[in-house]
Amino acid sequence: MNVLKFGGTSVGTVESLKNVRSIVEALPSDTVVVVSALGGLTDRLIATARLAAEGGDWRTEADAIAERHYIIIEELVRPDRKQSTLTVVGSLLDELRRTYEGVSLIGDLPAKTLDVIVSLGERMSAPIVAGIIKNGHLHNSLDFIKTEKWFDKNIADASLTRDLIIKEFVDIEKGPHVTGGFISQDRDTGEITNLGRGGSDYTAALIAAALDADMLDIWTDVDGFMTADPRIIKDAIVLPAMSFIESMELCTFGAKVIYPPTIYPVFHKNIPIRILNTFNPTAPGTLISDASCAKEYPVKGVTAIRNTCLVRLSGNLTENVAGINTRAYNALARNGVSVFLLAQPGENHEFSFAIASADRQVATRALNEEFAPELIDGALDSISFEDGLSTIAVVGEGIRHLKGVNGRILNTLMRFGIKPLACSEGNSDTTFSFVVEEKDTVGAIKAIHGLFF
Ligand code: ASP
Ligand code: MG
C-alpha cells in the first residue's frame, strides 16, 4: 500500500483538487492520503490571528477564509457528502471565529491559541478532500499523532504514535483513507499541537513507517528535486533519483522540497519516497531510496541556509579539538540548538560553528555556562557571534570520489570574489559546506552550481 501526501497548492483550488481526485481514485482502496491546509491558508490564519490581536478587522479575513472553503465544497464534494461536510466545516469555521473574537478581546495571542487557530486549516481540508474522493474515509489525526514537550518544542512521541496508527488503520482495505497532516495532540495535556511548519510531510512519513507502506508519494507543484532553487538557477535540473542521505542533507541545508524530519522514519524502514507533481502527474519525478545514482550525478545539489550565525570560541584552549567541539555541540543540543556546520579549527586555536540566528540567545547562555571555567581562568578570551551570514552546502554521495573537490570549490569562490568565512571539516562524506556573507548567497550558489552542472 502507498501513502500519498498532497501539499497546499495541490489542494488549494477546484482545478488542482480535480487532479488529486483522479490520482487517488486510480489507486487501490488501501491508500492513505495526507493533506495540507488549502494553499497559503496557514500563513493567512496566522496573519489574521495577529491582526485580531492588534485590534484589526479580522472579520473580513475570516469571511474570505470561509468563502474559499465553501466554494470548494459546493463545486466538488460528492452530493451524498455535501450536507455532512458543510456541517463539519461550518462548525470549525465557528470555532475559528470564536477564537479570533477571543484573541481580539484580550488583545493578545498566546502560543496555545495560535496552535488551535493553525490546526483549523488541516481540520477543514481533510473532511473536504474525503468528501471529494469516492469512498473517502476520514480519519482525525489528533487521535493518533501524539507529541511530547521537548524544551519549547513539541516533538512526536514516535512509539505511541506508531501503535495508535496501526490501530487506527486496521481496516486498511476500506479506504481510500484521508487525514490531515501537520496537526497533533499533546499526549499528556490533550492540547492541540503541530509538527512544525511544513509538517504534513512528516505526518505522512509516520503513517507510512507504521503501516510498512511500499512507497511514500509526496505530491507537490514541481517536477521533482532540483539541483538548486529554480528561482535562483534558471537551468537547474530535475534529478531522477537520489539516496535518503542525500535528500536529508539537502533538506537540512535549506532545500524546501521535504520537511527534514520526514526522511528518517521511512529511511529507517527502507520505504522509498517519490516527489511527484500534481500539475504534471505523468512526469517521472524523483525517487529517493537507498540508491544514489552517484555515477551520473556525483553531486546532487547546492543549497543555502540564510540567517546563519557564526559562533567563534577564541583563546588559548589546550583541550583537544574533538573535546572542545563535543562540549560545545552537547551544550547546544541540550538546549535544543542544532549546529549545522563545524568549521575546521583556525590557526590561532579558534573554533567556529554555524547555528541559526534565531538560536543565538539560547546559544549565548548555553555556551557561557559550559565554558565558564575557561572564561574565568583566561584559557578562552571570548565567545563571539556574527549574524547576517548564509551557509552554503554542496551535497552528493559521489563528492568523496571527486579529486580535490574542496580545493576546486574554494578556488571557484575566489574567482568570483567570494570569501568563505568558515568551511566544514569535511568529515561528512556527502556534504561540503561553507559560510559566506548573506549578500554573497546567490553569487555563491551560481558559482558552485556552474562548477558541477
Ligand atoms: N499547513 C502547514 C503549513 O503550511 C503544514 C504543511 O503544509 O505541511 O506549514
Ligand atoms: Mg511542504
Side-chain angles (χ1 to χ4, degrees), residues 69-301:
H69 288 83
Y70 285 137
I71 289 174
I72 292 174
I73 296 173
E74 190 47 45
E75 299 265 327
L76 287 182
V77 168
R78 297 169 66 82
D80 58 324
R81 296 279 284 267
K82 211 166 252 176
Q83 197 45 54
S84 58
T85 308
L86 277 172
T87 310
V88 171
V89 173
S91 81
L92 292 168
L93 286 164
D94 285 344
E95 179 178 344
L96 181 64
R97 288 203 176 86
R98 281 198 308 277
T99 315
Y100 281 149
E101 178 95 68
V103 168
S104 157
L105 283 172
I106 57 170
D108 187 29
L109 181 57
K112 283 178 189 167
T113 308
L114 185 60
D115 282 348
V116 171
I117 291 170
V118 293
S119 78
L120 284 156
E122 273 76 3
R123 285 161 68 203
M124 292 193 287
S125 64
I128 293 175
V129 176
I132 291 172
I133 293 166
K134 191 170 178 216
N135 297 328
H137 181 17
L138 179 66
H139 297 258
N140 181 358
S141 345
L142 302 181
D143 294 341
F144 53 88
I145 306 289
K146 302 290 177 180
T147 58
E148 56 183 306
K149 270 255 167 288
W150 191 66
F151 301 98
D152 58 348
K153 299 187 173 96
N154 299 304
I155 59 158
D157 177 338
S159 67
L160 175 62
T161 297
R162 187 197 53 228
D163 294 346
L164 292 172
I165 291 170
I166 292 171
K167 274 197 205 121
E168 180 74 25
F169 294 93
V170 272
D171 289 328
I172 193 71
E173 308 295 330
K174 297 184 187 154
H177 306 269
V178 179
T179 196
F182 174 63
I183 54 175
S184 48
Q185 188 181 45
D186 187 286
R187 63 157 195 219
D188 302 310
T189 63
E191 279 158 346
I192 291 181
T193 56
N194 61 65
L195 302 174
R197 292 305 305 274
S200 292
D201 297 344
Y202 188 32
T203 306
L206 292 170
I207 296 175
L211 300 180
D212 276 318
D214 298 308
M215 185 78 79
L216 168 60
D217 286 341
I218 307 261
W219 288 89
T220 175
D221 54 5
V222 290
D223 277 343
F225 235 114
M226 303 187 101
T227 50
D229 183 340
R231 285 165 304 180
I232 296 176
I233 305 290
K234 292 280 170 282
D235 53 358
I237 47 180
V238 176
L239 293 152
M242 65 174 62
S243 71
F244 288 115
I245 305 278
E246 288 171 328
S247 69
M248 228 184 264
E249 293 280 283
L250 286 167
C251 291
T252 311
F253 282 101
K256 295 270 170 353
V257 183
I258 314 176
Y259 183 51
T262 305
I263 301 156
Y264 187 74
V266 285
F267 171 39
H268 189 65
K269 287 253 175 134
N270 201 8
I271 300 168
I273 307 173
R274 279 186 302 196
I275 308 296
L276 298 164
N277 190 351
T278 306
F279 302 89
N280 185 15
T282 52
T286 304
L287 177 70
I288 302 168
S289 69
D290 53 4
S292 156
C293 81
K295 277 225 170 62
E296 300 96 297
Y297 297 100
V299 173
K300 294 298 190 301

Side-chain angles (χ1 to χ4, degrees), residues 214-445:
D214 298 308
M215 185 78 79
L216 168 60
D217 286 341
I218 307 261
W219 288 89
T220 175
D221 54 5
V222 290
D223 277 343
F225 235 114
M226 303 187 101
T227 50
D229 183 340
R231 285 165 304 180
I232 296 176
I233 305 290
K234 292 280 170 282
D235 53 358
I237 47 180
V238 176
L239 293 152
M242 65 174 62
S243 71
F244 288 115
I245 305 278
E246 288 171 328
S247 69
M248 228 184 264
E249 293 280 283
L250 286 167
C251 291
T252 311
F253 282 101
K256 295 270 170 353
V257 183
I258 314 176
Y259 183 51
T262 305
I263 301 156
Y264 187 74
V266 285
F267 171 39
H268 189 65
K269 287 253 175 134
N270 201 8
I271 300 168
I273 307 173
R274 279 186 302 196
I275 308 296
L276 298 164
N277 190 351
T278 306
F279 302 89
N280 185 15
T282 52
T286 304
L287 177 70
I288 302 168
S289 69
D290 53 4
S292 156
C293 81
K295 277 225 170 62
E296 300 96 297
Y297 297 100
V299 173
K300 294 298 190 301
V302 187
T303 55
I305 308 182
R306 290 170 193 265
N307 300 317
T308 290
C309 174
L310 197 60
V311 185
R312 291 193 181 88
L313 308 186
S314 48
N316 209 350
L317 292 165
T318 47
E319 201 174 321
N320 66 33
V321 176
I324 299 286
N325 278 345
T326 310
R327 278 174 61 196
Y329 195 87
N330 289 343
L332 292 169
R334 279 197 303 276
N335 289 278
V337 174
S338 47
V339 171
F340 38 77
L341 177 149
L342 270 178
Q344 295 159 3
E347 276 147 29
N348 19 355
H349 297 273
E350 194 180 84
F351 292 85
S352 40
F353 39 88
I355 59 171
S357 287
D359 288 332
R360 175 174 172 162
Q361 237 183 347
V362 180
T364 307
R365 187 176 39 74
L367 292 172
N368 277 302
E369 251 166 48
E370 174 64 33
F371 291 100
E374 284 83 355
L375 284 164
I376 291 165
D377 73 15
L380 196 58
D381 293 335
S382 68
I383 304 179
S384 66
F385 296 82
E386 184 179 354
D387 280 315
L389 309 174
S390 285
T391 304
I392 312 286
V394 188
V395 176
E397 291 202 22
I399 222 172
R400 71 192 102 154
H401 304 301
L402 296 177
K403 281 224 173 65
V405 67
N406 296 6
R408 275 165 59 204
I409 293 172
L410 296 175
N411 282 337
T412 305
L413 291 173
M414 222 146 60
R415 264 198 296 122
F416 281 79
I418 297 168
K419 187 177 173 294
L421 304 170
C423 296
S424 66
E425 276 197 296
N427 57 353
S428 149
D429 282 340
T430 36
T431 302
F432 177 75
S433 53
F434 53 89
V435 176
V436 296
E437 288 193 29
E438 189 145 27
K439 66 169 174 50
D440 290 328
T441 312
V442 169
I445 292 177

